[in-house]
Amino acid sequence: MELLSALILFGVFAVLVTFGVPISFAIGLATTVCITVLLSLDQAIFVVAQKMASGLDSFTLLAIPFFILAGNIMNRGGIAMRLIELAKVLGGRLPGALAHCNVLANMLFGAISGSAVAAAAAVGGTMAPLQKKEGYDPAFSAAVNAASCPTGMLIPPSSTLIVYSLISGGTSVATLFVAGYIPGILMGLAVMVVAGIIAKRRGYPVIPRPTTEEAIQKTIDAALPILLILIIMGGIIAGVFTATEASAVAVVYSLVVGVFIFGEMKLSELPGIILESAITSSIVLLLIGCSIGMSWAMAFSDIPYTVSTALANISEDPLMIMLIINLALLVIGTFMDMTPALLIFTPIFLPVATELGMDPVHFGIMMTYNLCIGIITPPVGSALFISCSVGKVPIKDLLKPMLPFYAAVITILMVVTYLPEVSLFLPKLLLGYTG
């Protein structure tokens, strides 16, 4: 029965997605069809709808629309440009300086907005013309932008880690946030190493050294956006507020900075930004609700147990099983967005990982990192297509330049997978985490 349920669930889902049905509806319909094997149609519809609604009834999930709103306010409030100027100061003397600036700015802006797509659009849209003017290959510039924009999904605050916290049974959001720093920074550094090697070979220029006064001024200009990170993370770590309360603080702070301090956003723009954020939030939350329903259907059908047993039959070596899980997630990430992938496959793979003795925080960071690669790989990679769009590069011209960056970020994925302390060192140091 478990095998039949799994075949129906994923078979119907695959068929619906192939025919262009929106992924939220594909997940919901596949879940309902799967449950009709075990319950009557009217019972299946009622139970699935109930599970979707109850799954969204979460104070933690309230952080997602607030962080989306804060990110949209930041996009209009002049924060991206100030972070780019700071990145020029930090990376300006390295070979291929503008490429390094792109990476650093993506790390900074992504960490503030929590969105890879927003970082790819805001930073890439600004950096692409500058790099083209300095003689950079547009495909190389777009590849650097695409490869580095997912760092903000790991460096907190991250909506993706909030989703993992919810579906993993209450893993601490604060612990996950702190655990994401080192892997996110390592991802960015790996992209910078590859970009530096290529830039050195091609002779891309450095940025003229700024004067001390200019460096100080650009640092001061970027201080307020960076202070937001310190307020959010400092407040969460110190227990002053929860991740959800921190998201509301981020909205107020970004609004004050964008409107009253930087003056690059008008209050009259706020209704439009709120509407845009509400639309984005509704799409994300519908996706989460449908995915929660599918997660429940899999648990009801004992699919996680079946998968766990199958993996145990393949190998008893924990290293090999983790490699298999990583390969499966890499494939899943190429055709499924991060949020539904986390919600659907965490209940399948997390029990396997914990049975092997893997810490849930470590597994969450590994899984999030893995699925970050999916958003920069075709055919569904949203951040990849945004980078192509802002860089004015056809997707076919970007795949070859992306290959060395794929190799670099996958290498760091293996480091994150097999060296738990990469994820757990900071939580143990700052939060006294014991697992």
Side-chain angles (χ1 to χ4, degrees):
M1 183 62 71
E2 292 86 355
L3 181 59
L4 177 61
S5 297
L7 289 174
I8 292 174
L9 183 64
F10 294 111
V12 171
F13 173 73
V15 169
L16 291 173
V17 170
T18 302
F19 280 96
V21 176
I23 191 166
S24 297
F25 299 126
I27 291 172
L29 289 171
T31 302
T32 304
V33 173
C34 173
I35 295 301
T36 56
V37 175
L38 304 170
L39 302 173
S40 64
L41 179 60
D42 57 336
Q43 287 177 320
I45 294 173
F46 175 79
V47 171
V48 171
Q50 184 185 51
K51 294 299 178 183
M52 288 172 58
S54 62
L56 290 174
D57 185 14
S58 167
F59 181 70
T60 301
L61 278 181
L62 192 59
I64 293 178
F66 276 125
F67 277 129
I68 289 173
L69 176 57
N72 286 335
I73 292 173
M74 293 171 200
N75 283 345
R76 306 279 183 89
I79 287 176
M81 195 63 222
R82 286 167 171 80
L83 294 175
I84 289 171
E85 291 299 323
L86 175 63
K88 288 181 181 179
V89 173
L90 297 175
R93 302 304 298 170
L94 298 171
L98 289 177
H100 296 300
C101 292
N102 195 330
V103 177
L104 291 170
N106 269 335
M107 293 170 72
L108 292 169
F109 186 78
I112 292 174
S113 68
S115 170
V117 171
V123 176
T126 302
M127 294 300 303
L130 298 177
Q131 293 182 67
K132 186 175 181 179
K133 184 178 178 181
E134 293 294 331
Y136 286 67
D137 176 12
F140 168 75
S141 301
V144 171
N145 186 48
S148 59
C149 68
T151 53
M153 308 299 288
L154 286 162
I155 301 173
S158 167
S159 297
T160 308
L161 293 177
I162 293 172
V163 171
Y164 173 81
S165 169
L166 174 74
I167 203 68
S168 64
T171 307
S172 166
V173 174
T175 305
L176 288 166
F177 276 7
V178 174
Y181 272 110
I182 294 178
I185 291 170
L186 287 178
M187 177 187 275
L189 290 176
V191 174
M192 290 179 71
V193 168
V194 173
I197 293 171
I198 296 173
K200 185 73 173 178
R201 290 177 179 172
R202 297 182 182 180
Y204 290 147
V206 300
I207 297 173
R209 187 187 299 277
T211 63
T212 302
E213 291 77 11
E214 289 174 334
I216 292 173
Q217 185 58 52
K218 290 178 179 179
T219 303
I220 292 173
D221 289 343
L224 286 175
I226 292 175
L227 182 60
L228 174 59
I229 302 175
L230 298 178
I231 291 173
I232 290 175
M233 290 310 301
I236 292 174
I237 292 171
V240 176
F241 39 65
T242 65
T244 303
E245 292 163 344
S247 66
V249 171
V251 171
V252 175
Y253 185 95
S254 56
L255 186 63
V256 170
V257 170
V259 174
F260 299 106
I261 298 179
F262 291 165
E264 296 195 21
M265 175 186 155
K266 298 178 180 178
L267 280 176
S268 59
E269 298 178 64
L270 188 57
I273 295 173
I274 292 175
L275 177 61
E276 178 186 348
S277 302
I279 293 171
T280 303
S281 298
S282 64
I283 294 170
V284 172
L285 292 173
L286 175 61
L287 197 55
I288 291 173
C290 292
S291 300
I292 288 172
M294 182 179 270
S295 298
W296 173 83
M298 289 189 297
F300 188 71
S301 304
D302 279 337
I303 292 174
Y305 174 77
T306 304
V307 173
S308 176
T309 303
L311 286 173
N313 290 335
I314 292 173
S315 174
E316 294 183 358
D317 183 357
L319 300 182
M320 181 58 66
I321 292 177
M322 293 314 301
L323 179 61
I324 293 171
I325 291 175
N326 267 317
L327 291 174
L329 289 173
L330 285 170
V331 173
I332 290 163
T334 62
F335 65 86
M336 185 177 288
D337 193 52
M338 286 185 70
T339 299
L342 271 173
L343 286 160
I344 294 169
F345 292 99
T346 297
I348 293 178
F349 292 131
L350 180 58
V352 178
T354 52
E355 192 173 324
L356 296 174
M358 194 172 188
D359 187 275
V361 172
H362 175 207
F363 180 78
I365 298 300
M366 183 206 81
M367 190 171 185
T368 302
Y369 187 116
N370 190 308
L371 294 173
C372 279
I373 300 173
I375 66 174
I376 57 172
T377 52
V380 184
S382 53
L384 185 70
F385 288 105
I386 290 292
S387 295
C388 288
S389 176
V390 298
K392 296 178 173 58
V393 178
I395 184 66
K396 63 181 177 62
D397 294 341
L398 191 58
L399 297 181
K400 186 176 179 181
M402 284 296 297
L403 293 178
F405 295 106
Y406 287 143
V409 295
I410 290 174
T411 299
I412 300 301
L413 171 61
M414 293 299 102
V415 172
V416 171
T417 299
Y418 294 116
L419 295 177
E421 288 304 308
V422 172
S423 302
L424 300 179
F425 172 74
L426 284 182
K428 290 178 180 179
L429 179 67
L430 299 178
L431 302 175
Y433 180 71
T434 56

